[in-house]
Amino acid sequence: MTAPEAPAPSVPPASWRESLAVYLQPRVLIVLFLGFSSGLPLALSGSTLLVWMREAGVDLGTIGLFALVGTPYTLKFIWAPLTDTLHVPLFTRAFGRRRGWLVFSQLLLISAILLLALTDPAHSPLFVALGALLVAMTSSTQDIVVDAFRVESLPENEQAAGMASYVAAYRIGMLISTAGVLFLVTAFESTGIGRNSAWMWGYVTMAALVLIGTLTALAATEPDQSARAEAAARSESALSRVMHAAVGAFSEFLSRKNAFAALAFVVLYKFTDAFSGTMTAPFVIDLGFTRNDYAAIVKGVGLAALLIGGFAGGYVARRYSLAASLWIGGVLQATSNLAFAWLAHVGVNQWALAFAISVENFTGAIGTVIFVAYLSALCQNPLHTATQYALLTALSAVGRTYLSSGAGYVAAATGWPAFFAISVLVAAPSLLLLAWLQRQTHFDTLGPARV
């Protein structure tokens, strides 16, 4: 029988001043600007591009097929081992393992956006599809490297603040590449140039904004963990490094105690958000609100609530233990669905809609920041941080992509108030797993108690 381990020394909670000051740390500010660079290109191959195509007269059937362009974001874990192991000629030598890949992927992303800007949706939708696929490929590659850089460069007590900053900047980047591009195209058209040229210059401007991330990568320093991992694997061949990263990332994770329970928790933690979120827009329209009501409140009030919630999540995760933070986020994001059940009884009322959307975005952002802090804590080995993190984020998307696919049938069978009550209950499996993992001392193996 082994002797019981000594209990970890108790650490007093951080004061609110300490919790806010962490956001001004240079490493956290670096992550903030990289978050902007990651959020910027997503809509350029998605919703913004679809507006351009529709204005150019492309038929709805072809536009619908463009949903497939987002496939690289789902499958990025397949090539993540390459970023963990292979050197980029000139870039790795000049900037280091992570920063070299960062600069390289961002230059490729700029080139892909410029290539997409030069296409004409009205006459060559195939070339538009190829350009959009290149943007999605290079953008998802940038995401892989930024995630690994963030996990490796931030100490434990800055991880949650870094994630909160990343989420906020990511959303701002998305806002600029959606509403910002539309306003910009309108402004270019007002100068007298043609519509397609206006769209071209709108995309050229977005390509230039990616340079914010490039300048940030140049100003950053290579994470110490990355440098040590690079030195440890230097004697191996390129093929051997790729194989070790791909196989090692999976085998090392699965060899941990309670690995499968942890993976199930990763799949289920955000399921309550995904289940209700899938039907939020149809619910609002079905209730009698106009699309303009929905768009104005979601893009305005909802975005503000999401940004505030992101920073609140960072504060919670810094002040409390990881397990306690996950409880707070899990309970809040589940019970927030009751705001929509209440809205179903109230009916068409813009103030009630603003309240429900604000509650959902605020609590959902808290849960997201805490959850990603947990994912970061799971990726402990710098030899394959990128591969493991890409795999975990792919698993976390299972609830949103597949498990939530039947939400519409449930809503049709039960009605809106009951549907949102059920969406609270679907959080139960994740909370039961959380309780079980906590009893199994799972969180004690993830490093310091404070995230």
Side-chain angles (χ1 to χ4, degrees), residues 48 86 99 130 178 187 260 279 308 349 363 393 397 413-414 433:
T48 301
L86 294 186
R99 291 170 65 232
L130 292 174
T178 50
F260 288 101
M279 300 307 296
I308 296 170
N349 182 303
T363 57
T393 52
T414 63
L433 271 173

Side-chain angles (χ1 to χ4, degrees), residues 265 269 322-323 326-327 429-439 443:
F265 179 67
Y269 186 73
L322 179 53
L326 285 166
W327 274 109
S430 69
L431 296 180
L432 290 173
L433 271 173
L434 176 56
W436 188 83
L437 287 170
Q438 195 171 6
R439 287 177 61 87
F443 299 101

Side-chain angles (χ1 to χ4, degrees), residues 42-55:
L42 182 63
L44 299 180
S45 60
S47 58
T48 301
L49 178 63
L50 301 187
V51 174
W52 183 10
M53 294 178 68
R54 190 56 181 158
E55 286 191 354

